[in-house]
Amino acid sequence: MTPRPLASVSIDLDNLWAYLKTHGDPGWRDRPSFLPSAVPRLLEVLGEQRLTTTVFVVGADVVREDGAKAVAGLAAAGHEVANHSFGHEPWLHRYSRDRLEEELSRTEDAIVAAGAPRPGGFRGPGYSVTRELVELLAERGYAYDASTLPTWIGPLARAYHNRTAKAPEEGLDELFGGFSRVLAPVHAYRWRTSGSSALVELPVTTMPLLRTPIHGSYLLQLHAISPRLARGYFRTVLRLCLARGVSPSLLLHPTDVLGAAEAPGMEFFPGMAAPGGQKVAWLGWVLSALREHFDVVGTGEYVRRTAVRRTRPVTRLDAGR
């Protein structure tokens, strides 16, 4: 029997305060959290779909009680816990090497202290990635990075964000990636680093050929316009992925299962007008459609199961110094 193609699903466990911070809302300093609402709901949806996946967590949350509890629950349910930086600042490209290393190590320590294994995967907030970061991940024994989003939509999304933000933070010049990401690979590949380790890069999948996003927030925006349109769009993505040999790497966020009342202050964010129950039902449909055509695993499991032979020089990285 011919094995079914693989797909991967991951969740960036960005918290309410992180969204408010990037949006320039001073209320972020109170560190408001929606993890107690979001995590059980995400676990329920994934459990109904019989999926174990990868959750990228923020160290500043994991050192708190609700974040540590979330990590413990995720690990107990069999989900991989990966590194999403400590402070969730989408301007890692401005960090020194020493500060990048501190971001990695502090989050690693927090994840282990919360009861999960040391992380083997990383995703930069806002798809921020640099040569220094890739080299550090390889040196620290990471198996993969998942920080690239190969799309032309990034600069447009950044312009919209900066226009609507209350007080945009400095350093958002690479938020959502630059125009050069249009030509970045959609398949997994290995960075040719200076050391012996060849770090795998697992891009967040965009629609083959068109390079438009397929992550949860984008699908919710289409669903708000027309559920029929959203279903047709996602089915087209899956057909194109199968035809072109692309293994979908689907990215989700807590906002994909939360309504506006559960995320106060986030009215600016796409899809927040939809009730949480409606979002949960839609996410269930998306995951079911994905499972019809692919064996769905987490990002770390995907890297372990596949032999990634494509390589790319780290000097061609389009962000960073």
Side-chain angles (χ1 to χ4, degrees):
M1 180 181 294
T2 303
R4 291 185 357 132
L6 281 179
S8 61
V9 172
S10 62
I11 301 169
D12 284 0
L13 204 64
D14 305 341
N15 208 347
L16 177 55
W17 64 265
Y19 287 100
L20 298 181
K21 181 178 182 179
T22 304
H23 193 62
D25 189 328
W28 79 267
R29 295 184 178 86
D30 296 329
R31 300 279 178 169
S33 174
F34 50 38
L35 297 187
S37 298
V39 173
R41 200 168 296 175
L42 287 166
L43 284 171
E44 182 178 358
V45 173
L46 294 171
E48 289 174 352
Q49 295 294 325
R50 302 185 299 281
L51 294 178
T52 52
T53 185
T54 299
V55 184
F56 292 87
V57 299
V58 178
D61 281 317
V62 183
V63 296
R64 301 181 352 166
E65 182 179 356
D66 60 344
K69 182 179 179 180
V71 166
L74 291 163
H79 300 283
E80 176 191 14
V81 179
N83 192 330
H84 197 34
S85 81
F86 190 85
H88 198 276
E89 295 185 335
W91 43 91
L92 295 186
H93 59 285
R94 295 195 171 192
Y95 281 14
S96 67
R97 182 182 176 89
D98 287 345
R99 190 172 179 189
L100 282 172
E101 189 160 24
E102 182 182 14
E103 285 282 306
L104 296 174
S105 64
R106 292 179 72 187
T107 307
E108 292 162 6
D109 292 345
I111 288 172
V112 172
R118 186 180 184 278
F122 179 85
R123 177 175 287 138
Y127 313 106
S128 182
V129 59
T130 67
R131 291 190 298 274
E132 288 89 346
L133 176 59
V134 170
E135 295 283 358
L136 274 171
L137 292 173
E139 289 173 14
R140 297 181 72 82
Y142 279 72
Y144 69 96
D145 175 72
S147 299
T148 56
L149 180 69
T151 182
W152 52 270
I153 291 288
L156 302 180
R158 180 170 62 249
Y160 172 80
H161 172 274
N162 291 341
R163 187 173 66 251
T164 59
K166 293 184 177 181
E169 291 277 356
E170 294 294 328
L172 295 181
D173 51 298
E174 287 289 345
L175 182 65
F176 309 133
F179 280 108
S180 57
R181 296 284 171 87
V182 178
L183 301 177
V186 294
H187 297 275
Y189 56 93
R190 291 183 180 273
W191 291 115
R192 292 203 295 269
T193 62
S194 58
S196 59
S197 174
L199 185 80
V200 171
E201 182 66 33
L202 183 59
V204 176
T205 301
T206 54
M207 181 187 280
L209 302 178
L210 293 182
R211 299 284 182 122
T212 50
I214 67 167
H215 54 262
S217 301
Y218 190 84
L219 294 175
L220 277 168
Q221 277 291 84
L222 293 180
H223 191 270
I225 298 170
S226 165
R228 183 177 179 180
L229 171 65
R231 288 193 294 269
Y233 178 84
F234 194 63
R235 288 191 181 108
T236 300
V237 168
L238 297 181
R239 286 196 293 268
L240 283 172
C241 284
L242 288 167
R244 298 188 66 84
V246 174
S247 297
S249 180
L250 179 65
L251 170 60
L252 306 174
H253 291 87
T255 50
D256 297 334
V257 296
L258 296 176
E262 298 160 308
M266 282 192 60
E267 295 79 10
F268 63 88
F269 194 76
M272 292 312 297
Q278 184 183 101
K279 289 184 172 185
V280 168
W282 168 243
L283 179 57
W285 182 89
V286 168
L287 294 175
S288 293
L290 185 64
R291 291 178 60 240
E292 284 179 16
H293 303 285
F294 297 89
D295 283 338
V296 183
V297 297
T299 50
E301 182 64 18
Y302 174 85
V303 170
R304 282 190 289 272
R305 288 197 194 183
T306 56
V308 180
R309 296 184 175 88
R310 299 177 181 89
T311 60
R312 190 182 189 211
V314 73
T315 52
R316 289 176 55 192
L317 195 58
D318 57 10
R321 293 174 288 278

